[in-house]
Amino acid sequence: MLSQLPPATYKDPNVIVGFESGDDAAIYRISDELALVLTVDFFPPIVDDPFQFGEIAVANALSDVYAKGGRPVTALNIAAFPRGLDPKIVAKVLEGGQSKASEAKVSIVGGHTVDDAEPKYGLAVTGLIDPGDEIKNSGAKPGDALVLTKAIGTGIITTAGKAGVVKAAVLDGAVRSMSMLNLGASESMLEVGVNAATDVTGFGLLGHLHTMLKASGVSAELRLGDVPRLDGAMELLENGVAPGGTHRNVEALSKVVHWGDAVGELDRLLLCDAQTSGGLLIAVPQERLGELQSALTANGSLFAAEIGTVADGPAGEITVH
Ligand code: CO
Ligand code: CO
């Protein structure tokens, strides 16, 4: 959608990161010591439980600030609910959001709600960062290790959930992953020092990797067997469950991804599965990989999986083995 935005006639030199690079959040310099990190995200329910939906929406919205190495401090609720919806359900969504924001030490300081046939909820988030400390998506270097902090497959599992064809334990696993803050992963990146990062959301693992590689002018090799996957996701794929967005992602990436012979149709779908509140995808210099993995583990990250290597090839291209 942003590609439809006409170029601005006013250029403020304090905009350090704008929308042009496809970065996760914008950064605005206030002084030499302080910059704002700005992002917004909201979407329709992906799970039936209104409290869980609120938690996931907030974890997801904060994630873009964490991906930049920023510290979210305030947020505004953005909500849409159908007229006549049970106020108890609305309250549960907002409660879930508030509880997750409190866990993140983020103050929800206001918001705006409109009538809409389909409920939607999310946040506009403001974070802080030292100018120069921001982790861009454009800094990946050949030889860097690629690290992923959450398993993939939430799109497949929540689609199955909506259709009522998922085991409770499988759905619980996905909900636990989606409602987990990327705070610990972000702190780990700042502790260790990394070259680039992004969070994995609607364009899937490969879509977001592609954006990062393109912005960095490099390519990558990905090892399918090392990518963590949520329990049950593959089984659902075998039963024909996959969201429309996931199919579109595979198609959109067909020119930039080279699939190895051992990578089957279902593996491709999984690697491109549209995620909600996915993990951070981090490019870290090889010599700091061990340190990053230890920091991630210490900070409670669900995964610290080394899934591939950045290479000196055509910008944005990915080879999957
Ligand atoms: Co993002
Ligand atoms: Co976003």
Side-chain angles (χ1 to χ4, degrees):
M1 205 64 93
L2 269 175
S3 60
Q4 308 297 317
L5 188 64
T9 51
Y10 169 67
K11 285 252 183 257
D12 185 333
N14 289 316
V15 176
I16 308 175
V17 177
F19 68 85
E20 295 85 356
S21 57
D23 228 314
D24 296 295
I27 301 189
Y28 186 85
R29 179 174 41 226
I30 295 176
S31 71
D32 288 347
E33 287 82 42
L34 191 64
L36 294 175
V37 187
L38 305 158
T39 180
V40 57
D41 232 316
F42 66 113
F43 48 74
I46 50 159
V47 291
D48 281 341
D49 185 297
F51 186 89
Q52 287 179 346
F53 169 51
E55 287 189 302
I56 292 167
V58 166
N60 181 74
L62 298 177
S63 176
D64 281 327
V65 177
Y66 292 135
K68 304 258 69 50
R71 182 165 62 86
V73 286
T74 63
L76 301 168
N77 276 331
I78 300 177
F81 294 110
R83 202 181 286 269
L85 180 70
D86 183 349
K88 281 194 207 109
I89 295 180
V90 175
K92 280 283 170 205
V93 172
L94 300 178
E95 235 177 83
Q98 183 69 274
S99 132
K100 197 41 74 175
S102 298
E103 180 189 332
K105 299 189 166 69
V106 169
S107 305
I108 296 180
V109 291
H112 188 73
T113 306
V114 296
D115 284 336
D116 197 358
E118 192 182 34
K120 292 168 193 79
Y121 176 62
L123 297 179
V125 187
T126 303
L128 302 177
I129 199 164
D130 283 356
D133 277 5
E134 65 274 6
I135 301 161
K136 296 187 180 173
N137 66 352
S138 56
K141 306 242 172 346
D144 283 356
L146 291 168
V147 173
L148 182 64
T149 68
K150 287 186 186 179
I152 58 172
T154 69
I156 295 155
I157 293 170
T158 55
T159 298
K162 282 182 207 160
V165 295
V166 68
K167 289 184 196 125
V170 169
L171 188 59
D172 282 353
V175 167
R176 212 175 311 125
S177 178
M178 291 186 289
S179 43
M180 170 106 181
L181 292 172
N182 281 329
L183 167 63
S186 185
E187 287 176 345
S188 305
M189 296 199 297
L190 292 171
E191 266 170 57
V192 173
V194 304
N195 284 341
T198 190
D199 62 334
V200 178
T201 52
F203 297 119
L205 173 61
L206 291 194
H208 290 279
L209 175 59
H210 165 68
T211 303
M212 182 164 98
L213 297 171
K214 204 170 170 205
S216 305
V218 292
S219 66
E221 311 258 324
L222 200 78
R223 294 181 300 272
L224 170 68
D226 292 335
V227 177
R229 45 185 76 185
L230 285 165
D231 282 344
M234 211 57 197
E235 205 182 317
L236 289 166
L237 276 175
E238 281 158 15
N239 294 331
V241 178
T246 296
H247 284 285
R248 286 194 292 278
N249 287 343
V250 175
E251 217 166 290
L253 291 166
S254 64
K255 289 197 172 68
V256 292
V257 179
H258 310 284
W259 302 106
D261 294 337
V263 186
E265 193 70 37
L266 300 184
D267 296 318
R268 298 177 193 198
L269 280 166
L270 183 69
L271 291 175
C272 295
D273 185 37
Q275 302 298 283
T276 296
S277 194
L280 297 187
L281 172 63
I282 306 166
V284 61
Q286 231 16 275
E287 65 271 18
R288 270 178 258 157
L289 169 64
E291 207 187 323
L292 177 66
Q293 288 176 309
S294 310
L296 285 167
T297 307
N299 286 328
S301 233
L302 292 170
F303 289 88
E306 185 197 2
I307 60 168
T309 314
V310 177
D312 187 10
E317 294 199 6
I318 304 165
T319 305
V320 184
H321 301 286

